[in-house]
Amino acid sequence: MIKNMVGKQTLCFRNQPEILGTGSVVGVKEGKGPLGECFDVVLEEDIYGEKTWEKAETKMLKEAILLSIKKAGKTKEQINAILSGDLLNQLMSASFSARDLQIPFLGLYGACSTMTESMIVGAVLVDGGYADHVVAAASSHYCTAERQFRMPLEHGNQRPPSAHWTVTGSGSVVIGKTDHPYICCTYGTIGKIVDPGITDTNQMGAAMAPAALDTVITHFSDTGRPLDYYDMILTGDLGHIGKDILLDMMKKQGMDLEKVYNDCGVLIYDREQDTHSGGSGCGCSAVTFSGYIFDKLIKGQLKKILLISTGALMTTTSSQQGNSIPGIAHAIAVEIC
Amino acid sequence: MFSNEKAKSYEQYVSQFTPKPKYFYNAVKAFVIGGLICMAAYYVQSILIEKGMGKGDAGTIVTILLICTAQLLTGFGWFDSIAKFAGGGVIVPITGFANSMVSPAMEFKKEGLVLGAGSKLFTIAGPVLVWGISTSVVIGIIYWLLTK
């Protein structure tokens, strides 16, 4: 008998695991974007004083984790586990930052959905009494992602209008429990992979939108919550195109969420920043939540939010072999208790 | 996974949300910039010929100059911005080929000169060389068969 699950895919956190603090470190372009002032650290240079982009991303993630621990009023020794991931092969940034921090580590890969994946697992550990405090984090870096998935940085080409721009950013949250719960994780909906058959890696928003729709529908049907329950519903990185597609698909399902729905990839950059369809990468929803949304929750400007990080689970090999892009989306409800 | 039919109809459905690249505008830019590069190259070649250099040698010098310029611009980190604007205008001439060699060399030298820059140098240019040379061999054989 499963006690802490409602409906088909939604976990119910009955013991009020709380978000105690967050940390966000972003690159130069993200700092110049509309959310620039919300982030804890904005880099002066994306290389962050390191010799390689991978080392820079590792340092960013480590910095974000340490900041979140500090802002939660905890010490490194009080953290029972780090749950984190990034976009690189074998989770390079996550593993190497955990190596330096010497905190027990579980590496998670959900492509750009990693932030909610790590938050859900973190909430489970705290809710189930397996940990007092855990760190849930995710990271991406434009320069490490480009060289792994696409072309060398200095290679000259023209990107199509549907292309995304990988966010340079690391976001981290500390999940724990106190006697006076304030900002709590209440439900987590684990997404199914939905593959709509898109093979063009420059069409990520379209590839992930059906997975996001599936998770949204499942979340509301599992929890039985009314459609107007949340102040804000936020997808991870569908971008301008994916956002429009999702809104249209939701309307066709009879769900009018236009007033409360937005996308982190749309929020993080201005149209003038020439990112085409908007931001992507694990860091996109990670820093938007850690920097922008969490602050609004603390100030009480938002009370109930649903964060749905979206991921495109293709690899360079799968794309070259002509496979379509499997999309996934995990949702976590964060509310003022 | 969606069935083939469903995938096709989804692709059609999403195309109404996807802005099309500005093909005509891009082509005009590529034509003008590419044309200017060719004009400049031709001008230099003419000067060299005027100074007494043979046509073949002058052509070689001009090609080397174009390659060096593209390499320098790539090294300074400007070529990608120019290519973003000019598109095929700088990618199709030999300038694009030079950029496709220098950019991986810069990118992957961090993994070492042998296994990094050495092995990744031809990641972009390699396929062009393989299929370019293969095509020229096939065309050569056809030409030989037709003219023997």
Side-chain angles (χ1 to χ4, degrees):
Chain A
M1 172 76 187
I2 305 174
K3 281 190 295 183
N4 296 326
M5 194 161 197
V6 293
K8 286 187 296 181
Q9 289 160 235
T10 303
L11 316 181
C12 174
F13 307 121
R14 301 188 195 280
N15 300 316
Q16 297 183 308
E18 278 177 79
I19 297 178
L20 303 174
T22 63
S24 53
V25 179
V26 299
V28 179
K29 198 180 183 88
E30 292 69 23
K32 287 179 183 160
L35 308 182
E37 286 183 2
C38 309
F39 304 120
D40 296 317
V41 177
V42 176
L43 304 187
E44 282 171 19
E45 276 185 326
D46 286 353
I47 193 81
Y48 207 5
E50 293 292 325
K51 281 194 175 146
T52 70
W53 301 116
E54 286 76 10
K55 282 185 179 168
E57 189 183 345
T58 304
K59 190 172 163 186
M60 284 172 68
L61 181 57
K62 195 170 118 184
E63 185 73 25
I65 292 172
L66 287 172
L67 267 168
S68 65
I69 297 172
K70 192 178 162 198
K71 282 166 71 184
K74 304 292 166 197
T75 61
K76 212 169 68 137
E77 289 67 34
Q78 287 174 286
I79 305 298
N80 302 113
I82 295 178
L83 314 160
S84 67
D86 56 83
L87 293 176
L88 304 184
N89 293 333
Q90 288 81 42
L91 300 181
M92 184 173 172
S93 310
S95 309
F96 281 69
S97 60
R99 176 189 72 176
D100 295 347
L101 291 167
Q102 285 296 298
I103 298 171
F105 165 67
L106 286 172
L108 300 169
Y109 186 81
C112 312
S113 71
T114 305
M115 191 59 193
T116 44
E117 183 180 0
S118 61
M119 283 170 76
I120 290 171
V121 178
V124 167
L125 291 181
V126 173
D127 193 62
Y130 295 101
D132 284 331
H133 307 101
V134 299
V135 163
S139 173
S140 57
H141 194 301
Y142 175 77
C143 302
T144 59
E146 280 297 303
R147 76 202 300 264
Q148 181 176 300
F149 289 100
R150 296 181 195 96
M151 290 289 186
L153 289 178
E154 298 303 334
H155 181 249
N157 53 22
Q158 283 177 324
R159 298 170 334 118
S162 59
H164 285 239
W165 188 276
T166 307
V167 166
T168 300
S170 303
S172 170
V173 303
V174 172
I175 304 174
K177 267 199 283 192
T178 64
D179 296 332
H180 308 288
Y182 184 49
I183 298 168
C184 304
C185 306
T186 50
Y187 286 105
T189 302
I190 301 173
K192 282 200 302 264
I193 289 182
V194 180
D195 186 339
I198 297 279
T199 47
D200 181 359
T201 50
N202 281 314
Q203 269 287 19
M204 305 268 255
M208 298 185 291
L213 177 72
D214 188 75
T215 302
V216 172
I217 293 173
T218 309
H219 179 82
F220 281 108
S221 103
D222 282 357
T223 56
R225 287 181 161 175
L227 287 177
D228 60 356
Y229 183 83
Y230 294 104
D231 303 332
M232 191 181 232
I233 297 174
L234 208 56
T235 47
D237 58 349
L238 295 183
H240 293 279
I241 295 169
K243 182 188 166 186
D244 291 346
I245 294 171
L246 182 60
L247 270 173
D248 189 63
M249 289 195 300
M250 288 197 293
K251 257 189 199 145
K252 284 182 179 153
Q253 296 281 334
M255 305 166 80
D256 189 9
L257 294 170
E258 200 163 353
K259 278 186 193 151
V260 289
Y261 169 65
N262 217 326
D263 181 77
C264 301
V266 169
L267 289 172
I268 198 160
Y269 298 121
D270 265 332
R271 276 287 198 183
E272 290 73 44
Q273 285 184 290
D274 200 24
T275 56
H276 297 233
S277 190
S280 69
C282 322
C284 188
S285 60
V287 297
T288 306
F289 179 80
S290 314
Y292 174 61
I293 301 294
F294 188 69
D295 190 50
K296 281 194 171 295
L297 285 164
I298 287 184
K299 288 177 182 158
Q301 291 165 347
L302 288 172
K303 292 190 168 63
K304 293 169 271 186
I305 71 112
L306 186 68
L307 179 69
I308 310 163
S309 299
T310 39
L313 295 168
M314 79 289 185
T315 70
T316 45
T317 311
S318 73
S319 300
Q320 283 165 359
Q321 291 178 354
N323 279 307
S324 52
I325 302 167
I328 194 155
H330 305 297
I332 188 159
V334 182
E335 304 171 50
I336 296 179
C337 310
Chain B
M1 205 188 129
F2 281 25
S3 65
N4 275 353
E5 253 174 51
K6 217 175 155 192
K8 256 189 198 142
S9 77
Y10 181 69
E11 209 176 311
Q12 267 179 357
Y13 164 69
V14 300
S15 67
Q16 59 178 303
F17 297 94
T18 315
K20 299 270 171 299
K22 297 169 190 158
Y23 291 118
F24 183 75
Y25 178 58
N26 285 343
V28 170
K29 280 194 298 183
F31 178 78
V32 172
I33 305 285
L36 284 174
I37 292 172
C38 294
M39 267 172 65
Y42 189 75
Y43 180 68
V44 175
Q45 193 186 11
S46 311
I47 292 174
L48 291 174
I49 292 170
E50 223 169 74
K51 301 257 175 201
M53 196 178 271
K55 201 180 173 190
D57 287 347
T60 310
I61 297 283
V62 169
T63 309
I64 291 170
L65 277 174
L66 281 175
I67 291 173
C68 288
T69 313
Q71 285 175 330
L72 269 175
L73 290 173
T74 306
F76 287 134
W78 298 337
F79 190 90
D80 55 334
S81 313
I82 299 169
K84 193 167 177 281
F85 176 79
V90 290
I91 296 167
V92 176
I94 196 124
T95 42
F97 192 80
N99 168 256
S100 75
M101 294 288 288
V102 177
S103 57
M106 285 168 68
E107 187 68 59
F108 296 105
K109 71 167 194 274
K110 294 175 185 108
E111 279 83 39
L113 285 176
V114 178
L115 294 176
S119 71
K120 297 274 176 71
L121 196 62
F122 286 91
T123 2
I124 307 165
V128 181
L129 289 175
V130 168
W131 297 113
I133 292 166
S134 303
T135 311
S136 69
V137 169
V138 172
I139 302 281
I141 292 170
I142 294 171
Y143 180 75
W144 177 72
L145 286 172
L146 289 176
T147 54
K148 76 169 179 174

